[in-house]
Amino acid sequence: MRKSGFVQELSKNRSLFLMVLPAVVFFFIFSYLPMAGMIIAFKSYSYTDGIFGSPWVGLANFEFLFESGKAWLITKNTVFFNVIFMVVNNFLEIVIAIILSELAGKYLKKFLQSAIFLPYFISWVVAGAIVYNLLNYEFGAVNTFLKSLGMGAIDVYNNPDYWVYILAFFSAWKIVGYGTVIYLATITGIDTEMHEAAKIDGATLFQRIIHIVIPYLIPTIIVLLLLKVSTIARGDFGMFYQLIGNNGVLFDKTDVIDTFAFRALLDLQEFGMSSAVGVYQSVLNFVIIILVNEAVKRYSRDNALF
């Protein structure tokens, strides 16, 4: 009896299927099964009735979200910060990767790469403590230093305007090392004969970077940007919550969709609205990635995600 196509493929490549099985199970349990909870966005949830027994309210939770006046603010903040992070972090990742690739010292290169990569493993809880001890008005290291110079202290936690720069700085401090490794791996894949030929032709280091390295990096840049755009409406909850906390003075400039949904759930016990915020966020991310992917297709179909 002849096996079906799927069974035959499964038997032929069983080792590959076994390798991918943990990832499939992980995403099924933590990404697909929880999607059933989206129904809460359309219900007035109560502990007594549970998820499926709670009364249906249709789009009332979404109406409450948009009528609260916060929907536009948190959406604007989320997209704004993610665009800043994408531009700054990607630029630094590319620049640092190119610098590291050009360094001659083997041990210096490894040391710098490890030093840049290390903050990636530091949790935002620890990073939040570091930021607080640096920027606290009364005893923070920065203000203590300024006072020692006879200058006035800066009240960072009561001035929202500073936090665009602070969040951009610490996002780069923590994330850039990871992206640098990806770009550095791409650069090491460039054929060294291309560089040697360019040197023979009299090309300077800057010219080789512009005409050899950057074009080679463009497909990687596009793919990484597309992956980041796919979550452009999803703020880094750990960073925003640990660095900002519940400081209401800063909410107008720093409140993002994720922190708003968390407070709605924790402080107001609004399960329906919190779920509605999550659904709104997911739909927004989906629409954005579809539009951006279509734009990339028009430029270069080979570099699109799908």
Side-chain angles (χ1 to χ4, degrees):
M1 183 177 178
R2 189 174 180 180
K3 296 181 180 178
S4 65
F6 175 74
V7 175
Q8 188 177 8
E9 187 71 20
L10 187 64
S11 176
K12 181 181 177 182
N13 299 302
R14 56 183 177 275
S15 59
L16 296 177
F17 281 106
L18 284 173
M19 288 174 64
V20 80
L21 182 61
V24 172
V25 173
F26 175 85
F27 283 105
F28 178 75
I29 294 174
F30 294 103
S31 296
Y32 285 91
L33 286 181
M35 290 176 72
M38 289 172 58
I39 195 173
I40 299 175
F42 306 95
K43 294 196 169 193
S44 178
Y45 178 80
S46 68
Y47 291 104
T48 306
D49 299 323
I51 294 177
F52 299 103
S54 297
W56 187 271
V57 295
L59 298 175
N61 290 318
F62 293 91
E63 292 174 5
F64 183 71
L65 167 64
F66 287 100
E67 289 174 359
S68 69
K70 292 290 186 180
W72 165 246
L73 175 67
I74 59 178
T75 302
K76 179 191 70 174
N77 287 344
T78 306
V79 174
F80 171 75
F81 276 110
N82 278 329
V83 169
I84 294 294
F85 298 158
M86 278 194 296
V87 172
V88 173
N89 292 358
N90 271 279
F91 175 77
L92 291 176
E93 288 163 5
I94 294 168
V95 170
I96 294 172
I98 292 172
I99 292 172
L100 289 176
S101 68
E102 294 296 332
L103 287 177
K106 176 182 177 182
Y107 295 104
L108 176 62
K109 184 186 295 187
K110 286 186 176 182
F111 171 77
L112 291 175
Q113 187 175 334
S114 300
I116 295 168
F117 196 35
L118 180 62
Y120 182 77
F121 297 102
I122 298 175
S123 73
W124 280 118
V125 177
V126 176
I130 293 171
V131 173
Y132 184 76
N133 282 281
L134 283 173
L135 303 178
N136 182 272
Y137 181 76
E138 296 178 355
F139 53 80
V142 173
N143 282 325
T144 300
F145 176 71
L146 292 175
K147 290 174 185 176
S148 70
L149 297 177
M151 301 171 65
I154 303 173
D155 192 1
V156 171
Y157 284 94
N158 281 315
N159 193 330
D161 294 331
Y162 290 120
W163 283 90
V164 174
Y165 308 100
I166 294 170
L167 289 168
F169 175 82
F170 280 98
S171 172
W173 170 76
K174 194 172 189 302
I175 303 299
V176 162
Y178 181 81
T180 298
V181 172
I182 298 174
Y183 285 118
L184 190 58
T186 305
I187 292 172
T188 55
I190 300 175
D191 189 350
T192 55
E193 291 183 359
M194 296 176 66
H195 283 284
E196 294 299 328
K199 286 179 183 179
I200 293 172
D201 290 337
T204 63
L205 174 61
F206 181 74
Q207 289 173 328
R208 286 189 285 114
I209 291 171
I210 295 297
H211 297 290
I212 298 177
V213 177
I214 298 298
Y216 198 87
L217 286 177
I218 285 177
T220 304
I221 293 171
I222 292 174
V223 170
L224 291 179
L225 284 177
L226 279 174
L227 292 174
K228 291 177 181 178
V229 166
S230 67
T231 57
I232 198 169
R234 191 175 302 280
D236 189 333
F237 173 78
M239 178 177 69
F240 283 94
Y241 187 74
Q242 295 301 332
L243 269 58
I244 305 297
N246 287 318
N247 189 347
V249 177
L250 306 177
F251 283 168
D252 284 345
K253 289 288 183 72
T254 63
D255 203 16
V256 293
I257 297 174
D258 303 77
T259 52
F260 177 81
F262 178 75
R263 288 199 313 277
L265 178 64
L266 192 68
D267 300 337
L268 305 177
Q269 296 292 300
E270 286 285 350
F271 292 91
M273 193 183 77
S274 298
S275 184
V277 173
V279 172
Y280 162 72
Q281 185 182 51
S282 298
V283 171
L284 188 60
N285 274 321
F286 177 76
V287 171
I288 290 173
I289 189 57
I290 291 294
L291 294 176
V292 174
N293 191 71
E294 287 300 316
V296 171
K297 270 186 181 179
R298 293 178 180 273
Y299 169 72
S300 174
R301 180 173 292 271
D302 292 337
N303 292 323
L305 288 178
F306 50 86

